[in-house]
Amino acid sequence: MSNLNSPFRTKTVEQSIRDTEEPEHALRKSLSAWDLTVFGVGVIIGTGIFVLTGIAARNNAGPATALAFVAAGVVCALAALCYAEFASTVPVAGSAYTFSYASIGELPAWIIGWDLVLEFALGTAVVAVGWSGYVRHLMETNLGWTMPTSLSGPDAGGHFDLLAFLLVLVLTAILVVGTKLSARITAVVVAIKVTVVLLVIIAGLFFIKADNYSPFIPPAQPQAEGVSGWHAPLVQVMFGYEPTNFGVMGIFTAASLVFFAFIGFDVVATAAEETKNPQRDMPRGILGSLLICTVLYVAVTLVVTGMQKYTEMSPTAPLAEAFKSVNQPFFSGAISLGASVGLITVCMILLLGQTRVFFAMSRDGLLPRVFSVTHPKYRTPYRATMLLGGIIAIVAGFTSLESLAELVNIGTLFAFVVVALGVIILRRTRPDLHRSFRTPWVPFVPILSIAASFWLMLNLPTETWLRFGVWMVIGVVVYFLYGRSHSRLGRAGQDARF
């Protein structure tokens, strides 16, 4: 028996599934395992592999950056096993928010939902601004077209980024029409993006020099002075150790950085309610997309660090610059084009994930219920999509492209911790549930996932923790002022387990 006045009241899996059957608040089931895998690959392969490879190799791990991608992939794989069990057992929109509501309680679910809304919003806006920069560069270089400075965004000395603004609006319209349409568009763009990545791997093999791999793990050396105070990793502030670049520890430092390149596979779980056969297809989509991208990442890193000495790699465009260094401008241009096209799907799927989390919170009454009404024809949460799309378009139009990867990283890692904890709790409280996919070796794997995610969180800057803490405090205030009193579960007047 649960106390309906408690902020830790839980919503049963059965009630969550029943809520998806309400005609006004139901989503259309149109996605297959292939669609989900395409979504996952589409959002994972983005700015991370095209940019972070150079930064991590040059500053942190050298050729051993390939091992950093493996380490980050292992952390994601542990979390993916937990996500796969939840997504197949609780096939409801909302991802980590919905999973937390069914296992830990309403307040933790609200906190994780609030966290995901920030993560996806920042990610969408930042990627849109990055895409705008790529497109402006391509127009100026290849077509001789120059955007007016006033419409080129703060990064170019202007006031408003018209291209980023228009991109988000177009993607919002596509998502309103339906996820199947967005899946088809994503499939085309993903094909282009994967082709570019394979082009890097295959063409680059002919320009590898074995000397560039020596030493594969460069000797450890102290980090540059100035990385202190609020900019220092929290683990350094807590334990007072002196962090190093390169060496074995440099690999883990690089893993904390390149983890950003994996962000997105968890977005697949937000589409569980729109999947035809979630019990079978969700685990395939989540684990399949993660496996494909990890293999591609490691291969690209090995090729690029073999083409160019890690000390000479570009921190902004490592793949394109590596081909320039071997006098292959055609491949360099193709990579830049592929990167700009690929960012479109990253932006779209992040926006999809945010609207589904917002929709789920609204349907539960924690946000105004008006935003959980679906379109009578397209069966999409059109009100939430238009609201969030409009807000993010404006933010993208006026936002400077700064280093927000750390804030997105901490939000994602926090979600990983909560989901892994939820698997342990739901196994104990609801052992009777049918689980078409079961996380192996519970509780060992979830505990290992929590420990690995938390370790990467500790390696993020202290200022990132402070910003994250401020956002969480605001979320708790909003919950107690609005969410708790408007919660459908709290107003039901019956046992929380229905």
Side-chain angles (χ1 to χ4, degrees):
M1 183 75 68
S2 299
N3 182 3
L4 288 179
N5 293 320
S6 170
F8 293 93
R9 52 201 176 200
T10 56
K11 181 180 180 181
T12 64
V13 173
E14 291 80 4
Q15 178 59 25
S16 296
I17 295 175
R18 281 201 299 271
D19 285 348
T20 68
E21 299 169 355
E22 298 176 354
E24 279 193 336
H25 307 280
L27 299 172
R28 175 173 292 166
K29 296 181 180 296
S30 60
L31 301 178
S32 64
W34 171 253
D35 293 326
L36 296 172
T37 303
V38 168
F39 271 144
V41 174
V43 73
I44 296 172
I45 298 181
T47 52
I49 187 60
F50 290 114
V51 176
L52 295 180
T53 305
I55 299 174
R58 182 169 178 163
N59 299 334
N60 302 115
T65 298
L67 299 180
F69 274 109
V70 172
V74 168
V75 174
C76 290
L78 293 170
L81 291 171
C82 299
Y83 269 90
E85 174 170 325
F86 258 130
S88 60
T89 306
V90 193
V92 179
S95 184
Y97 159 76
T98 300
F99 307 157
S100 302
Y101 211 160
S103 56
I104 304 176
E106 184 174 274
L107 178 57
W110 165 268
I111 290 174
I112 199 64
W114 185 254
D115 162 51
L116 291 174
V117 166
L118 173 69
E119 174 196 337
F120 293 150
L122 285 179
T124 305
V126 170
V127 171
V129 175
W131 173 85
S132 174
Y134 267 110
V135 172
R136 289 198 308 272
H137 174 73
L138 288 170
M139 288 194 305
E140 293 170 6
T141 303
N142 300 298
L143 302 176
W145 296 350
T146 303
M147 286 283 293
T149 302
S150 59
L151 298 178
S152 297
D155 287 315
H159 304 291
F160 185 73
D161 194 328
L162 179 63
L163 292 179
F165 175 79
L166 292 177
L167 173 66
V168 177
L169 289 186
V170 170
L171 296 181
T172 298
I174 292 173
L175 289 176
V176 167
V177 172
T179 52
K180 192 61 180 179
L181 174 61
S182 63
R184 289 169 180 163
I185 294 173
T186 300
V188 174
V189 177
V190 166
I192 297 173
K193 190 159 48 174
V194 172
T195 299
V196 170
V197 173
L198 292 176
L199 180 68
V200 171
I201 297 170
I202 297 171
L205 287 173
F206 296 96
F207 302 100
I208 290 177
K209 297 179 181 178
D211 291 344
N212 290 333
Y213 289 131
S214 181
F216 189 76
I217 302 179
Q221 62 185 49
Q223 282 191 1
E225 294 183 6
V227 184
S228 59
W230 300 122
H231 299 285
L234 182 62
V235 68
Q236 177 185 351
V237 175
M238 291 174 61
F239 301 109
Y241 85 98
E242 290 299 325
T244 61
N245 286 328
F246 306 110
V248 174
M249 290 306 298
I251 296 174
F252 292 104
T253 303
S256 298
L257 175 66
V258 301
F259 175 81
F260 182 77
F262 286 93
I263 287 177
F265 82 85
D266 56 321
V267 178
V268 175
T270 66
E273 192 173 326
E274 295 160 273
T275 304
K276 295 176 184 177
N277 189 345
Q279 287 77 16
R280 181 195 67 191
D281 294 342
M282 287 307 301
R284 292 181 180 181
I286 293 173
L287 297 171
S289 60
L290 182 61
L291 177 62
I292 291 170
C293 292
T294 301
V295 172
L296 291 176
Y297 281 0
V298 172
V300 166
T301 305
L302 288 173
V303 167
V304 173
T305 54
M307 291 175 63
Q308 188 176 29
K309 193 68 175 177
Y310 71 91
T311 54
E312 301 171 359
M313 291 187 70
S314 167
T316 56
L319 275 61
E321 291 298 323
F323 278 96
K324 276 187 180 181
S325 71
V326 293
N327 298 315
Q328 297 294 322
F330 168 78
F331 294 112
S332 177
I335 291 168
S336 296
L337 177 61
S340 61
V341 173
L343 291 180
I344 295 175
T345 57
V346 179
C347 196
M348 177 189 292
I349 300 168
L350 286 173
L351 182 58
L352 169 72
Q354 189 197 37
T355 57
R356 271 39 179 186
V357 173
F358 195 89
F359 165 79
M361 296 172 74
S362 171
R363 188 165 59 186
D364 289 331
L366 301 180
L367 292 170
R369 286 267 289 173
V370 66
F371 295 115
S372 63
V373 175
T374 55
H375 194 281
K377 178 180 179 181
Y378 304 123
R379 310 311 303 174
T380 57
Y382 69 106
R383 293 176 179 174
T385 302
M386 290 190 292
L387 171 70
L388 295 170
I391 293 174
I392 295 172
I394 294 172
V395 171
F398 290 102
T399 299
S400 174
L401 185 59
E402 299 175 353
S403 180
L404 294 175
E406 292 90 354
L407 194 55
V408 179
N409 278 359
I410 197 171
T412 303
L413 288 165
F414 179 65
F416 287 3
V417 170
V418 173
V419 169
L421 182 62
V423 167
I424 297 173
I425 293 175
L426 201 62
R427 283 285 188 97
R428 293 180 63 87
T429 59
R430 292 298 307 275
D432 59 302
L433 281 177
H434 172 69
R435 294 168 170 85
S436 55
F437 179 89
R438 298 176 68 89
T439 303
W441 304 309
V442 173
F444 175 73
V445 167
I447 290 174
L448 193 58
S449 177
I450 292 171
S453 299
F454 192 65
W455 171 250
L456 290 186
M457 290 174 72
L458 288 176
N459 281 275
L460 292 170
T462 305
E463 61 182 347
T464 300
W465 280 83
L466 292 176
R467 291 171 182 167
F468 181 69
V470 170
W471 178 253
M472 289 295 102
V473 169
I474 294 173
V476 171
V477 171
V478 172
Y479 170 76
F480 282 104
L481 291 180
Y482 180 88
R484 186 180 185 187
S485 59
H486 289 80
S487 165
R488 293 181 68 198
L489 185 62
R491 299 172 67 146
Q494 55 184 343
D495 182 79
R497 292 195 177 279
F498 292 85

